[in-house]
Amino acid sequence: MATPTADAFRALHLGRAADDPLVLPGPWDAASARAFADAGFPALATPSAGVAASLGYADGSVPAEEMFAAVARIVRAVDVPVSVDVEGGYGLPPAELAERVLGTGAVGCNLEDGDAASGTPGDPRRHADRLAALRAAAGGALFVNARVDTYLHGTGDLADALARIALYTDAGADGVYPIRAPAGHLPRLCAGTELPVNVLAEAEGADPAALGRLGARRITFGGGLQERVQGMVAGLARELAPGAGHREAPGAPRG
């Protein structure tokens, strides 16, 4: 059954102005989650890639137990709703997947229709059945965001993406996420469903308002924010490395 937190998260997607999409930064650990929440973001959405990097794994190779444990730590660290990227569902039956996600305290999840191992977009009808079963098992307690992988793994065919969005809408998804869709396709994709459309933005230089005017109602960043921070950490490490930055500057006064 739905909870007040789940209802609040669902409501954040509704009634938004065209230039004011819901922006959900992606925390990769408890500390980053607190930073985003303290900055005033009303909700967060964990990225599988960012969490994987923080745990020392490549994206797509985190064991389910470790991913759910990491998400639970993130949820405990903040007072705002959290959605979780569960990739392809870790091979779990929909009812068990719903139970595991809800057990972390999360109120939403992304479920991708592509097969990352084979690099194919996957069977849309099978995915629609999984979405319907997941939605039924969660009983309204999860905002189910159906990821469409035709641009990531497929040919990027607009008609294919629209057909998948229609199937997932009929299956009861709460939102759709045509990841890596080009800006030129967004107006058609967003017009093809009444559901909120999630758009992936760049971690630096993103313009959520411009994406909103193209139809996006939810903006996420994948693992980009973690990658950006990791780049800053790498630069700091180079500055502090033995022998780095300790040479006497030309013309420096001698004591």
mmCIF file with all atom_site columns, all heavy atoms in Angstrom, residues 34-50:
data_model
loop_
_atom_site.group_PDB
_atom_site.id
_atom_site.type_symbol
_atom_site.label_atom_id
_atom_site.label_alt_id
_atom_site.label_comp_id
_atom_site.label_asym_id
_atom_site.label_entity_id
_atom_site.label_seq_id
_atom_site.pdbx_PDB_ins_code
_atom_site.Cartn_x
_atom_site.Cartn_y
_atom_site.Cartn_z
_atom_site.occupancy
_atom_site.B_iso_or_equiv
_atom_site.pdbx_formal_charge
_atom_site.auth_seq_id
_atom_site.auth_comp_id
_atom_site.auth_asym_id
_atom_site.auth_atom_id
_atom_site.pdbx_PDB_model_num
ATOM 1   N N   . ARG A 1 34 ? 23.371 13.436 1.859   1.00 0.00 ? 34 ARG A N   1
ATOM 2   C CA  . ARG A 1 34 ? 23.121 14.521 2.809   1.00 0.00 ? 34 ARG A CA  1
ATOM 3   C C   . ARG A 1 34 ? 23.433 15.877 2.183   1.00 0.00 ? 34 ARG A C   1
ATOM 4   O O   . ARG A 1 34 ? 22.714 16.857 2.408   1.00 0.00 ? 34 ARG A O   1
ATOM 5   C CB  . ARG A 1 34 ? 23.952 14.316 4.077   1.00 0.00 ? 34 ARG A CB  1
ATOM 6   C CG  . ARG A 1 34 ? 23.384 13.251 5.010   1.00 0.00 ? 34 ARG A CG  1
ATOM 7   C CD  . ARG A 1 34 ? 24.033 13.330 6.382   1.00 0.00 ? 34 ARG A CD  1
ATOM 8   N NE  . ARG A 1 34 ? 25.458 13.012 6.326   1.00 0.00 ? 34 ARG A NE  1
ATOM 9   C CZ  . ARG A 1 34 ? 25.963 11.801 6.508   1.00 0.00 ? 34 ARG A CZ  1
ATOM 10  N NH1 . ARG A 1 34 ? 25.144 10.786 6.743   1.00 0.00 ? 34 ARG A NH1 1
ATOM 11  N NH2 . ARG A 1 34 ? 27.257 11.594 6.450   1.00 0.00 ? 34 ARG A NH2 1
ATOM 12  N N   . ALA A 1 35 ? 24.494 15.937 1.383   1.00 0.00 ? 35 ALA A N   1
ATOM 13  C CA  . ALA A 1 35 ? 24.851 17.206 0.743   1.00 0.00 ? 35 ALA A CA  1
ATOM 14  C C   . ALA A 1 35 ? 23.735 17.678 -0.192  1.00 0.00 ? 35 ALA A C   1
ATOM 15  O O   . ALA A 1 35 ? 23.362 18.856 -0.187  1.00 0.00 ? 35 ALA A O   1
ATOM 16  C CB  . ALA A 1 35 ? 26.163 17.060 -0.022  1.00 0.00 ? 35 ALA A CB  1
ATOM 17  N N   . PHE A 1 36 ? 23.196 16.767 -0.991  1.00 0.00 ? 36 PHE A N   1
ATOM 18  C CA  . PHE A 1 36 ? 22.124 17.147 -1.924  1.00 0.00 ? 36 PHE A CA  1
ATOM 19  C C   . PHE A 1 36 ? 20.857 17.533 -1.162  1.00 0.00 ? 36 PHE A C   1
ATOM 20  O O   . PHE A 1 36 ? 20.178 18.505 -1.515  1.00 0.00 ? 36 PHE A O   1
ATOM 21  C CB  . PHE A 1 36 ? 21.838 15.999 -2.892  1.00 0.00 ? 36 PHE A CB  1
ATOM 22  C CG  . PHE A 1 36 ? 22.936 15.743 -3.888  1.00 0.00 ? 36 PHE A CG  1
ATOM 23  C CD1 . PHE A 1 36 ? 23.407 14.449 -4.099  1.00 0.00 ? 36 PHE A CD1 1
ATOM 24  C CD2 . PHE A 1 36 ? 23.494 16.765 -4.618  1.00 0.00 ? 36 PHE A CD2 1
ATOM 25  C CE1 . PHE A 1 36 ? 24.416 14.198 -5.016  1.00 0.00 ? 36 PHE A CE1 1
ATOM 26  C CE2 . PHE A 1 36 ? 24.510 16.533 -5.545  1.00 0.00 ? 36 PHE A CE2 1
ATOM 27  C CZ  . PHE A 1 36 ? 24.974 15.235 -5.745  1.00 0.00 ? 36 PHE A CZ  1
ATOM 28  N N   . ALA A 1 37 ? 20.516 16.773 -0.131  1.00 0.00 ? 37 ALA A N   1
ATOM 29  C CA  . ALA A 1 37 ? 19.313 17.079 0.644   1.00 0.00 ? 37 ALA A CA  1
ATOM 30  C C   . ALA A 1 37 ? 19.464 18.418 1.363   1.00 0.00 ? 37 ALA A C   1
ATOM 31  O O   . ALA A 1 37 ? 18.534 19.237 1.387   1.00 0.00 ? 37 ALA A O   1
ATOM 32  C CB  . ALA A 1 37 ? 19.021 15.961 1.636   1.00 0.00 ? 37 ALA A CB  1
ATOM 33  N N   . ASP A 1 38 ? 20.646 18.663 1.927   1.00 0.00 ? 38 ASP A N   1
ATOM 34  C CA  . ASP A 1 38 ? 20.881 19.920 2.635   1.00 0.00 ? 38 ASP A CA  1
ATOM 35  C C   . ASP A 1 38 ? 20.825 21.121 1.690   1.00 0.00 ? 38 ASP A C   1
ATOM 36  O O   . ASP A 1 38 ? 20.523 22.243 2.116   1.00 0.00 ? 38 ASP A O   1
ATOM 37  C CB  . ASP A 1 38 ? 22.236 19.898 3.342   1.00 0.00 ? 38 ASP A CB  1
ATOM 38  C CG  . ASP A 1 38 ? 22.261 18.974 4.550   1.00 0.00 ? 38 ASP A CG  1
ATOM 39  O OD1 . ASP A 1 38 ? 21.169 18.524 4.980   1.00 0.00 ? 38 ASP A OD1 1
ATOM 40  O OD2 . ASP A 1 38 ? 23.370 18.677 5.055   1.00 0.00 ? 38 ASP A OD2 1
ATOM 41  N N   . ALA A 1 39 ? 21.123 20.879 0.401   1.00 0.00 ? 39 ALA A N   1
ATOM 42  C CA  . ALA A 1 39 ? 21.070 21.966 -0.581  1.00 0.00 ? 39 ALA A CA  1
ATOM 43  C C   . ALA A 1 39 ? 19.639 22.311 -0.972  1.00 0.00 ? 39 ALA A C   1
ATOM 44  O O   . ALA A 1 39 ? 19.412 23.315 -1.664  1.00 0.00 ? 39 ALA A O   1
ATOM 45  C CB  . ALA A 1 39 ? 21.870 21.582 -1.824  1.00 0.00 ? 39 ALA A CB  1
ATOM 46  N N   . GLY A 1 40 ? 18.675 21.487 -0.547  1.00 0.00 ? 40 GLY A N   1
ATOM 47  C CA  . GLY A 1 40 ? 17.272 21.807 -0.794  1.00 0.00 ? 40 GLY A CA  1
ATOM 48  C C   . GLY A 1 40 ? 16.563 20.971 -1.831  1.00 0.00 ? 40 GLY A C   1
ATOM 49  O O   . GLY A 1 40 ? 15.395 21.243 -2.144  1.00 0.00 ? 40 GLY A O   1
ATOM 50  N N   . PHE A 1 41 ? 17.230 19.966 -2.393  1.00 0.00 ? 41 PHE A N   1
ATOM 51  C CA  . PHE A 1 41 ? 16.538 19.114 -3.362  1.00 0.00 ? 41 PHE A CA  1
ATOM 52  C C   . PHE A 1 41 ? 15.446 18.323 -2.641  1.00 0.00 ? 41 PHE A C   1
ATOM 53  O O   . PHE A 1 41 ? 15.686 17.745 -1.573  1.00 0.00 ? 41 PHE A O   1
ATOM 54  C CB  . PHE A 1 41 ? 17.519 18.171 -4.052  1.00 0.00 ? 41 PHE A CB  1
ATOM 55  C CG  . PHE A 1 41 ? 18.415 18.870 -5.036  1.00 0.00 ? 41 PHE A CG  1
ATOM 56  C CD1 . PHE A 1 41 ? 19.684 19.281 -4.668  1.00 0.00 ? 41 PHE A CD1 1
ATOM 57  C CD2 . PHE A 1 41 ? 17.971 19.155 -6.315  1.00 0.00 ? 41 PHE A CD2 1
ATOM 58  C CE1 . PHE A 1 41 ? 20.505 19.950 -5.558  1.00 0.00 ? 41 PHE A CE1 1
ATOM 59  C CE2 . PHE A 1 41 ? 18.785 19.822 -7.227  1.00 0.00 ? 41 PHE A CE2 1
ATOM 60  C CZ  . PHE A 1 41 ? 20.054 20.221 -6.847  1.00 0.00 ? 41 PHE A CZ  1
ATOM 61  N N   . PRO A 1 42 ? 14.231 18.240 -3.218  1.00 0.00 ? 42 PRO A N   1
ATOM 62  C CA  . PRO A 1 42 ? 13.111 17.607 -2.521  1.00 0.00 ? 42 PRO A CA  1
ATOM 63  C C   . PRO A 1 42 ? 13.119 16.088 -2.577  1.00 0.00 ? 42 PRO A C   1
ATOM 64  O O   . PRO A 1 42 ? 12.355 15.437 -1.859  1.00 0.00 ? 42 PRO A O   1
ATOM 65  C CB  . PRO A 1 42 ? 11.890 18.164 -3.255  1.00 0.00 ? 42 PRO A CB  1
ATOM 66  C CG  . PRO A 1 42 ? 12.383 18.383 -4.663  1.00 0.00 ? 42 PRO A CG  1
ATOM 67  C CD  . PRO A 1 42 ? 13.802 18.860 -4.498  1.00 0.00 ? 42 PRO A CD  1
ATOM 68  N N   . ALA A 1 43 ? 13.955 15.515 -3.430  1.00 0.00 ? 43 ALA A N   1
ATOM 69  C CA  . ALA A 1 43 ? 14.046 14.059 -3.560  1.00 0.00 ? 43 ALA A CA  1
ATOM 70  C C   . ALA A 1 43 ? 15.344 13.731 -4.277  1.00 0.00 ? 43 ALA A C   1
ATOM 71  O O   . ALA A 1 43 ? 15.970 14.604 -4.893  1.00 0.00 ? 43 ALA A O   1
ATOM 72  C CB  . ALA A 1 43 ? 12.853 13.495 -4.334  1.00 0.00 ? 43 ALA A CB  1
ATOM 73  N N   . LEU A 1 44 ? 15.746 12.462 -4.215  1.00 0.00 ? 44 LEU A N   1
ATOM 74  C CA  . LEU A 1 44 ? 16.998 12.011 -4.809  1.00 0.00 ? 44 LEU A CA  1
ATOM 75  C C   . LEU A 1 44 ? 16.746 10.736 -5.600  1.00 0.00 ? 44 LEU A C   1
ATOM 76  O O   . LEU A 1 44 ? 15.759 10.029 -5.372  1.00 0.00 ? 44 LEU A O   1
ATOM 77  C CB  . LEU A 1 44 ? 18.043 11.748 -3.722  1.00 0.00 ? 44 LEU A CB  1
ATOM 78  C CG  . LEU A 1 44 ? 18.279 12.860 -2.700  1.00 0.00 ? 44 LEU A CG  1
ATOM 79  C CD1 . LEU A 1 44 ? 19.218 12.378 -1.598  1.00 0.00 ? 44 LEU A CD1 1
ATOM 80  C CD2 . LEU A 1 44 ? 18.834 14.109 -3.375  1.00 0.00 ? 44 LEU A CD2 1
ATOM 81  N N   . ALA A 1 45 ? 17.676 10.426 -6.525  1.00 0.00 ? 45 ALA A N   1
ATOM 82  C CA  . ALA A 1 45 ? 17.555 9.202  -7.326  1.00 0.00 ? 45 ALA A CA  1
ATOM 83  C C   . ALA A 1 45 ? 18.939 8.592  -7.497  1.00 0.00 ? 45 ALA A C   1
ATOM 84  O O   . ALA A 1 45 ? 19.791 9.155  -8.191  1.00 0.00 ? 45 ALA A O   1
ATOM 85  C CB  . ALA A 1 45 ? 16.943 9.506  -8.692  1.00 0.00 ? 45 ALA A CB  1
ATOM 86  N N   . THR A 1 46 ? 19.186 7.461  -6.856  1.00 0.00 ? 46 THR A N   1
ATOM 87  C CA  . THR A 1 46 ? 20.516 6.860  -6.911  1.00 0.00 ? 46 THR A CA  1
ATOM 88  C C   . THR A 1 46 ? 20.828 6.330  -8.308  1.00 0.00 ? 46 THR A C   1
ATOM 89  O O   . THR A 1 46 ? 19.970 5.745  -8.958  1.00 0.00 ? 46 THR A O   1
ATOM 90  C CB  . THR A 1 46 ? 20.659 5.706  -5.909  1.00 0.00 ? 46 THR A CB  1
ATOM 91  O OG1 . THR A 1 46 ? 19.840 4.601  -6.328  1.00 0.00 ? 46 THR A OG1 1
ATOM 92  C CG2 . THR A 1 46 ? 20.272 6.121  -4.513  1.00 0.00 ? 46 THR A CG2 1
ATOM 93  N N   . PRO A 1 47 ? 22.054 6.508  -8.781  1.00 0.00 ? 47 PRO A N   1
ATOM 94  C CA  . PRO A 1 47 ? 22.482 5.938  -10.060 1.00 0.00 ? 47 PRO A CA  1
ATOM 95  C C   . PRO A 1 47 ? 23.260 4.642  -9.815  1.00 0.00 ? 47 PRO A C   1
ATOM 96  O O   . PRO A 1 47 ? 24.133 4.591  -8.939  1.00 0.00 ? 47 PRO A O   1
ATOM 97  C CB  . PRO A 1 47 ? 23.408 7.020  -10.618 1.00 0.00 ? 47 PRO A CB  1
ATOM 98  C CG  . PRO A 1 47 ? 24.037 7.615  -9.389  1.00 0.00 ? 47 PRO A CG  1
ATOM 99  C CD  . PRO A 1 47 ? 23.051 7.471  -8.253  1.00 0.00 ? 47 PRO A CD  1
ATOM 100 N N   . SER A 1 48 ? 22.993 3.629  -10.588 1.00 0.00 ? 48 SER A N   1
ATOM 101 C CA  . SER A 1 48 ? 23.726 2.373  -10.395 1.00 0.00 ? 48 SER A CA  1
ATOM 102 C C   . SER A 1 48 ? 25.221 2.576  -10.642 1.00 0.00 ? 48 SER A C   1
ATOM 103 O O   . SER A 1 48 ? 26.057 2.010  -9.924  1.00 0.00 ? 48 SER A O   1
ATOM 104 C CB  . SER A 1 48 ? 23.182 1.282  -11.320 1.00 0.00 ? 48 SER A CB  1
ATOM 105 O OG  . SER A 1 48 ? 23.403 1.598  -12.680 1.00 0.00 ? 48 SER A OG  1
ATOM 106 N N   . ALA A 1 49 ? 25.581 3.389  -11.640 1.00 0.00 ? 49 ALA A N   1
ATOM 107 C CA  . ALA A 1 49 ? 26.995 3.589  -11.966 1.00 0.00 ? 49 ALA A CA  1
ATOM 108 C C   . ALA A 1 49 ? 27.733 4.284  -10.829 1.00 0.00 ? 49 ALA A C   1
ATOM 109 O O   . ALA A 1 49 ? 28.850 3.906  -10.476 1.00 0.00 ? 49 ALA A O   1
ATOM 110 C CB  . ALA A 1 49 ? 27.135 4.392  -13.256 1.00 0.00 ? 49 ALA A CB  1
ATOM 111 N N   . GLY A 1 50 ? 27.127 5.318  -10.250 1.00 0.00 ? 50 GLY A N   1
ATOM 112 C CA  . GLY A 1 50 ? 27.769 6.038  -9.168  1.00 0.00 ? 50 GLY A CA  1
ATOM 113 C C   . GLY A 1 50 ? 27.928 5.196  -7.921  1.00 0.00 ? 50 GLY A C   1
ATOM 114 O O   . GLY A 1 50 ? 28.982 5.218  -7.268  1.00 0.00 ? 50 GLY A O   1
#
